[in-house]
Amino acid sequence: MKILGISGTILGSKTKITVEKVLEDVKEIDSNIEVELLDLKKYDLQFCDGRDPKTYMGDTKKVIDIVSSADSYIIGTPIIHGTMPGTLKNLFDLIPVDVMNNKVIGFVAVGGNHQHYLMIENQLKPIAGYFKSFVAPNYVFVHNDNFQDNKIVSNDILEEIARLSKEVVMMQKVFTN
């Protein structure tokens, strides 16, 4: 089983730190699970223009192939002006619709405004529904104040991350058997 963590931004480090923590917890649950981090900051993605995803080349093709090879996902995003960054939306537009079908997704978001935590409910879960994915019941919202020296310092958030990790592992094992 391969769980792909996606840091869905090209700015900052908090989203990547959060996704990495979830992947670390997954490995603690089951060391046989393969984990990989897809940091969109490291790729030069083309904008989706509606063509067949198989025709993209370079980094765009590589990212589509990486996403396609995973069995489940931890998708992380910062919340900017109440929504996900265009980088993550573009990735969703590039992925063939059947790639995430019947696969588990766990969501994490980082924001500076506590009122934005519902973005996952209102924007990301409907996208998962479009892909016909299974969504972990819980998700993690990390406020900027929960970080210190590029580490998550809130025990409550660390417990939420542990719970999300367990849910994704458990759900994917159920759906792959």
Side-chain angles (χ1 to χ4, degrees):
M1 176 186 340
K2 178 180 176 182
I3 297 179
L4 179 66
I6 299 173
S7 178
T9 183
I10 58 173
L11 300 172
S13 60
K14 291 176 182 159
T15 299
K16 178 183 170 194
I17 290 166
T18 306
V19 172
E20 286 175 326
K21 179 60 180 148
V22 177
L23 294 176
E24 180 183 305
D25 282 13
V26 164
K27 287 299 281 185
E28 287 179 15
I29 294 166
D30 186 341
S31 62
N32 294 317
I33 296 174
E34 179 184 352
V35 298
E36 182 179 356
L37 176 69
L38 175 62
D39 184 357
L40 294 183
K41 189 183 293 188
K42 295 182 177 182
Y43 296 90
D44 184 21
L45 293 182
Q46 294 174 276
F47 283 109
C48 179
D49 58 16
R51 71 178 120 143
D52 185 336
K54 294 175 191 155
T55 65
Y56 286 98
M57 304 300 289
D59 279 357
T60 305
K61 179 183 180 351
K62 183 183 276 187
V63 167
I64 292 169
D65 290 345
I66 291 169
V67 173
S68 298
S69 72
D71 298 306
S72 58
Y73 308 91
I74 302 297
I75 299 177
T77 183
I79 301 176
I80 302 169
H81 299 294
T83 190
M84 74 190 94
T87 309
L88 182 58
K89 177 60 169 87
N90 187 52
L91 177 64
F92 287 137
D93 291 342
L94 288 166
I95 298 169
V97 71
D98 62 338
V99 163
M100 293 180 156
N101 188 284
N102 292 324
K103 296 180 181 179
V104 176
I105 299 176
F107 290 113
V108 299
V110 177
N113 183 329
H114 288 289
Q115 287 77 13
H116 287 159
Y117 76 95
L118 284 175
M119 186 278 282
I120 294 172
E121 290 285 342
N122 296 326
Q123 295 176 32
L124 295 178
K125 284 186 174 183
I127 290 170
Y130 173 76
F131 282 114
K132 296 180 177 63
S133 301
F134 301 109
V135 178
N138 291 296
Y139 52 84
V140 178
F141 174 80
V142 187
H143 190 275
N144 287 336
D145 292 344
N146 297 128
F147 289 90
Q148 185 175 353
D149 298 323
N150 286 325
K151 291 183 181 171
I152 300 170
V153 294
S154 166
N155 287 332
D156 290 340
I157 297 298
L158 293 171
E159 288 175 17
E160 289 179 29
I161 287 172
R163 183 173 45 247
L164 176 66
S165 302
K166 288 176 190 171
E167 288 176 358
V168 171
V169 168
M170 178 195 67
M171 290 175 69
Q172 191 58 45
K173 284 181 178 183
V174 166
F175 294 122
T176 55
N177 290 333

